[in-house]
Each structure stands twice: as structure tokens, then as C-alpha cells.
Amino acid sequence: PLTITTAINFYQCMINSIIIALGSVILSLSVSILLGYGLARMNFKFKKLVSNASLFVYILPPSFLAIPFFVHMRILGLVNSLISVILAVTVFTIPFCAWILREQFSSIPKEIEESAYIDGCGRLEVLFRIVLPLSAPTLVATATYIFIRAWNEYQYALLLLYSRDLWTLPLFLTTFLASDVVPWGILMATSVLYAIPPLIFYYLTERYMIKGLIAGAVKA
């Protein structure tokens, strides 16, 4: 039977997973917006190199950077903390998100931004008051990608989190497979609960994602 201790451990791991997922969305999206807008609208030295490098980092397998990342986290004293997993997810989601947002920001007519500059807006005001509202569907789709990536993160959570109090749900679910007799009933029940938060996140943002999918489908 499902014991009280198992239930407490499950909900603690769920809280940890939610913290990691939301933290990754906030951090990764913040950096991706600034990087994507810089690549789309600003001219600077080595711009093409930065753009290509971001795509190159995206195609690297996460396991390739596991040991260097662990060493850096240990030097910074962040091993066995949730922030280390958030940083890991951020590192691997920023390149893809920045690439997507760069394309989105580039599709917005420059005349709209130039009109705002004439009215006295600064670059950051243009970004937050004009560009981001026009890019809301793409931002929501990008945030959903980050959330799901962080929610399902297993490799770096296993590598960086030692304490059971900091475990995430993927780590918690694997404990049921460690014994000779697998409690399939408990495993299936917890798996259903594990799938609920991503579904809630998706349905809260569904209407924005649909707008992003059909945007540009009809030519004016």
C-alpha cells in the first residue's frame, strides 16, 4: 500500500520539480529574449559567430558536457542544490529558444519600432512594450518547451542532486524500479500524477499556442 512516507516524498519531489521547471522558464526565457532580440536587431562584431555558436551548442548531446558542468558547479559550490539543475536546463534550452525568438523578432516590421523611437521610447521600452506583446504566442510556445524539458530532466538531476530532500519526480519514480518486485500499482498512480502539471501548464497557455501556430497562415 501507499505509505504516508511515500506520499510525503512524492509531494516534496513534485515541489522540487515545479521549482526547477518554473525557475528554468524564467531564467532561460529572460536570457533568450535578450539574446534573440540582440541577434535580430543589433549589429555587433562576431554577430554571425554568436548566432552559429548558439545553434552548435544546441546540437551537442547533454551527456557530452556532463562532467565539465559538474566540475564548474562544484567549483561554484552549487552541487546538491536546485539552482544547479536550473542552470543545467537553462544552458541547454537557451540556444534553441534564442534561435526561435530571433526569427520571431526579425519578422516584426522595423517600421513599428522606428515609430516608437520617434515617440521617445528607448530600446528596452520598445522591447517590452511593443515587441514582446506582438510575440506573445511564440513566447508561450517557447516557455512550454522549457517547462517540459525541465520537468522531464533526469540526467543532470541524478548527477547534481545527492540529498533525497532535493530529488525531482523523475528520480523519485526510478526508486520503484530498484527492487526485485516492482510495485506497478503505485508506479502507475504516481506516473499519472506526474503528468498532471505539464497538462495544466499546456491548457493554461493553449489559446496562445494556437495563435502562434496559425499566425501567418492567411496572407493579407
Side-chain angles (χ1 to χ4, degrees):
L2 183 61
T3 62
I4 296 178
T5 302
T6 303
I8 293 175
N9 291 337
F10 173 82
Y11 288 114
Q12 180 60 52
C13 292
M14 176 174 281
I15 292 173
N16 294 336
S17 292
I18 292 174
I19 293 174
I20 290 174
L22 294 180
S24 299
V25 169
I26 294 172
L27 181 59
S28 182
L29 201 59
S30 299
V31 177
S32 299
I33 287 172
L34 297 177
L35 178 57
Y37 186 73
L39 293 174
R41 288 290 189 256
M42 299 177 66
N43 293 318
F44 54 89
K45 196 174 182 180
F46 304 120
K47 175 180 176 179
K48 187 175 181 180
L49 178 63
V50 172
S51 179
N52 293 334
S54 65
L55 186 61
F56 176 75
V57 173
Y58 171 68
I59 66 177
L60 285 176
S63 57
F64 186 78
L65 298 176
I67 295 177
F69 189 86
F70 176 82
V71 172
H72 278 82
M73 290 297 101
R74 186 175 63 181
I75 293 173
L76 295 173
L78 295 177
V79 174
N80 198 35
S81 65
L82 297 181
I83 186 63
S84 63
V85 183
I86 292 175
L87 291 175
V89 175
T90 300
V91 166
F92 290 103
T93 53
I94 282 178
F96 175 76
C97 296
W99 189 271
I100 294 298
L101 292 176
R102 187 199 70 165
E103 296 300 318
Q104 168 61 30
F105 296 154
S106 298
S107 67
I108 298 175
K110 290 184 178 181
E111 291 77 10
I112 298 178
E113 298 179 43
E114 291 171 354
S115 299
Y117 290 136
I118 293 174
D119 291 336
C121 291
R123 188 176 292 274
L124 287 179
E125 285 183 291
V126 170
L127 174 61
F128 288 102
R129 299 179 63 178
I130 296 176
V131 176
L132 293 187
L134 292 175
S135 306
T138 304
L139 292 174
V140 170
T142 306
T144 303
Y145 162 76
I146 300 170
F147 185 92
I148 294 176
R149 174 71 181 267
W151 186 258
N152 294 324
E153 179 57 45
Y154 176 79
Q155 179 181 349
Y156 280 83
L158 179 64
L159 179 67
L160 297 166
L161 301 178
Y162 302 154
S163 175
R164 279 180 170 266
D165 294 336
L166 297 175
W167 275 12
T168 59
L169 281 180
L171 296 180
F172 176 79
L173 292 176
T174 57
T175 60
F176 294 117
L177 304 175
S179 61
D180 295 333
V181 179
V182 179
W184 291 109
I186 298 177
L187 180 59
M188 292 299 101
T190 52
S191 297
V192 171
L193 294 176
Y194 170 77
I196 290 177
L199 289 175
I200 294 175
F201 188 88
Y202 170 76
Y203 282 112
L204 289 175
T205 60
E206 180 184 14
R207 63 192 183 98
Y208 295 102
M209 292 186 66
I210 292 175
K211 289 180 181 179
L213 290 174
I214 65 175
V218 179
K219 193 171 183 179

